Amino acid sequence: MLLTNDPVLKAIDSTVEAIRQRATANWILAFSGGKDSSAALKIFLAAYKKARISLASVTVIYCDTGVENPILDAYVRGLFGKLNQELGGLSASFKTHVLKSPLHDRFFVKIIGRGYPPPTNNFRWCTTGLRIKPVSAFIARHDPANTVVILGLRAAESQQRDRSLAKSANLYWQKQREGKGDYDLFLPIVELNVSEVWDAIFGLSTPTSLDPSTLETLYRGASGECPIIKSPQAPPCSSGRFGCWTCTVVRKDKSAKELIRAGHLELLPFLNFRDWLSEFRNNPSKSLTHNEFV
Ligand code: SF4
C-alpha cells in the first residue's frame, strides 16, 4: 500500500511492489547514460533495498552504436566499470552488459557501403539497426515471457505518449509486443516530471558510482535520449539529445555545442563533420540519378 504523495517515494514504492510481484523474472534495465535511465536505475536500486528480497537476475545494459557521442560514451564506460563492481557487491544476480550493433547495421557501413542518406526525421533508418535490434536480440535470448525490461520513459514527455499511456490501467506496466516473444515493460519514472527526475538523481544515494554533478554537467543543453525499445510510448528523437555524434535527425546538435562551450574542444571536428554530412544530404547537386549510380 502506498503511504506517500512524494512523487519519487511513490515511484520507489510502486517499484517495490513490482519487484515483489516478479522476483523470479529476468530484470533488464536499459541504460543510455542520460538523466531518465539514470533516475530509473536509482529508483530501482532504492526499491530493491527496500523490498529486502533477492531477485533471480538483474542486468543493466548499454547499447554501443559505434558512433556514440565520445564524451558521453567515455562517461558511460567509466561508470559501467565502477557500476559492475558496486552492483556485484549488492548481489551476485546483478551484472552489466554492453551490447553492440552488428557490423552490417553500423552507421557508416550503411552510408558509405550501401548509399543510405544521412538520416532525417522522415527516414530515420538508423535507430532500428543501431539500438533497437541489438536490444531486442538480447531480450529474445533471455526468455521474454519471464522478462521485465525497465525503461526510463516519462508520460509527461509528449502528448502523443500521454495519450498512448493513458490507455493502460496501470501506467507503470506496459506490454511490449515482439515477433520473437512478448515481454513486460516496467516504467519506474512514468509519473515524474523533469525536476522530479533530477530530485531522484540527486536525492538517492545508490549507485554511488553515478555522480549526479558529472551527469548534470554533461546533460546541460540536452533534452532527451534516443530510444532503444520500439514501442508506441517511445519518444521520437528530440533535439539536442544524447546519442550518436553523427545524428543528422536533429537540425542542430545542441548537446555537442554545449559540451564544446564547456571546454570539450575535442568534439569540434565531430560536430563539423556532422554539420557537413547534414549539408551534403540537403544539397540536391550531390545526389546521383539511378543511371549515374549504376
Ligand atoms: S541518435 Fe540519431 S543517428 Fe543515432 S540512432 Fe538515434 S536518430 Fe539515429
Side-chain angles (χ1 to χ4, degrees):
M1 190 172 78
L2 301 179
L3 298 173
T4 174
N5 286 327
D6 179 282
V8 174
L9 292 179
K10 186 178 170 213
I12 293 171
D13 283 343
S14 299
T15 310
V16 168
E17 279 180 21
I19 286 173
R20 287 185 176 145
Q21 281 166 19
R22 300 292 301 273
T24 57
N26 301 309
W27 290 80
I28 296 174
L29 191 144
F31 189 74
S32 70
K35 68 181 191 315
D36 290 335
S37 53
S38 296
L41 175 62
K42 286 207 153 197
I43 286 170
F44 182 77
L45 292 178
Y48 170 73
K49 286 203 265 180
K50 197 169 175 181
R52 293 178 179 274
I53 55 169
S54 31
L55 290 173
S57 163
V58 181
T59 312
V60 181
I61 56 169
Y62 169 63
C63 188
D64 172 15
T65 60
V67 281
E68 289 300 297
N69 175 315
I71 304 295
L72 183 69
D73 191 48
Y75 160 76
V76 179
R77 283 173 185 282
L79 172 60
F80 250 53
K82 291 184 254 169
L83 201 56
N84 201 32
Q85 277 199 326
E86 188 178 346
L87 295 181
L90 273 181
S91 160
S93 57
F94 278 76
K95 36 189 181 305
T96 58
H97 192 82
V98 179
L99 302 173
K100 271 188 180 291
S101 51
L103 194 60
H104 61 264
D105 278 331
R106 297 282 174 86
F107 191 88
F108 286 111
V109 171
K110 286 274 182 89
I111 289 200
I112 299 172
R114 298 237 169 131
Y116 278 62
T120 64
N121 215 8
N122 291 331
F123 187 34
R124 188 154 60 99
W125 49 264
C126 44
T127 318
T128 301
L130 291 179
R131 299 184 192 277
I132 291 169
K133 277 205 307 203
V135 172
S136 297
F138 182 80
I139 294 167
R141 293 196 298 272
H142 285 78
D143 183 13
N146 188 35
T147 291
V148 180
V149 175
I150 307 161
L151 283 186
L153 289 182
R154 291 182 296 108
E157 225 169 328
S158 78
Q159 285 182 345
Q160 186 189 351
R161 198 185 313 177
D162 265 352
R163 281 196 296 275
S164 167
L165 286 169
K167 289 179 193 154
S168 357
N170 182 344
L171 283 186
Y172 286 88
W173 286 102
Q174 306 288 322
K175 196 81 182 162
Q176 177 69 5
R177 313 260 170 224
E178 290 268 329
K180 291 178 186 161
D182 298 349
Y183 55 87
D184 291 314
L185 294 177
F186 182 71
L187 316 179
I189 66 163
V190 69
E191 294 189 315
L192 303 189
N193 61 32
V194 174
S195 68
E196 290 156 355
V197 160
W198 284 112
D199 285 348
I201 292 170
F202 275 90
L204 300 173
S205 56
T206 315
T208 52
S209 36
L210 198 163
D211 175 28
S213 306
T214 306
L215 179 62
E216 190 193 31
T217 308
L218 286 171
Y219 222 87
R220 213 155 280 159
S223 59
E225 295 158 37
C226 192
I228 59 170
I229 300 277
K230 190 175 186 174
S231 84
Q233 296 87 31
C237 268
S238 50
S239 64
R241 128 242 9 95
F242 280 17
C244 310
W245 67 265
T246 49
C247 188
T248 51
V249 172
V250 287
R251 221 162 52 79
K252 291 194 171 141
D253 190 341
K254 288 187 205 159
S255 173
K257 281 194 177 147
E258 284 298 327
L259 287 166
I260 291 165
R261 208 169 290 146
H264 290 287
L265 295 179
E266 67 273 31
L267 271 186
L268 197 52
F270 291 89
L271 179 64
N272 289 340
F273 190 83
R274 186 218 80 100
D275 289 347
W276 175 83
L277 267 180
S278 187
E279 281 161 27
F280 191 91
R281 176 197 65 199
N282 294 340
N283 186 341
S285 73
K286 305 289 185 195
S287 56
L288 296 175
T289 63
H290 178 69
N291 288 343
E292 286 169 323
F293 186 68
V294 293

